[in-house]
Amino acid sequence: MSKQITAAPLRSALPSTVGLLSARLLAVQTYLSELLGVAQVHDLHIWGMSTTEIALTAHLVIPEGHPGDAFLAKVTQDLHDRFGIEHATLQVETGIGDNICPQISCSNR
């Protein structure tokens, strides 16, 4: 019984969520890659957390180092205001030496 209650809202939300995310993926990628100091964006993932909330994770390569909390706060606010993304997690990397992303998915770029 609980599977039917859970699955029905997910099925009904999927088409609109997928369409929304597909249409905005390139715009989000462009926005992030054009941020001051960002040399590369990779492992960008956007998905629907529910019928009303969108989440994002991304790795930002910033060779000059971590830009600080104010930068991250502004970017997450911009992602919310411009793209409707409620939850954003950004991983900052320098991309230099031992600081290259160790995840397998990153090494397959």
Side-chain angles (χ1 to χ4, degrees):
M1 181 80 165
S2 65
K3 285 185 179 179
Q4 290 176 334
I5 294 170
T6 303
L10 292 176
R11 263 198 314 273
S12 65
L14 191 59
S16 63
T17 302
V18 170
L20 175 67
L21 297 179
S22 297
R24 295 186 179 177
L25 182 60
L26 181 59
V28 171
Q29 170 81 30
T30 300
Y31 165 74
L32 291 172
S33 65
E34 291 178 349
L35 291 170
L36 185 64
V38 173
Q40 182 185 28
V41 176
H42 62 95
D43 272 15
L44 171 61
H45 304 283
I46 302 173
W47 68 97
M49 291 180 53
S50 68
T51 58
T52 59
E53 292 184 320
I54 299 172
L56 169 147
T57 60
H59 296 206
L60 305 179
V61 178
I62 304 176
E64 293 79 29
H66 195 289
D69 291 344
F71 172 86
L72 294 176
K74 180 182 182 335
V75 172
T76 56
Q77 186 64 50
D78 285 351
L79 289 168
H80 175 268
D81 294 347
R82 294 174 67 172
F83 305 104
I85 296 170
E86 296 291 328
H87 302 278
T89 302
L90 302 169
Q91 178 173 320
V92 176
E93 307 163 1
T94 62
I96 300 168
D98 293 336
N99 297 316
I100 296 172
C101 181
Q103 294 180 1
I104 291 174
S105 59
C106 295
S107 62
N108 292 331
R109 298 182 245 165

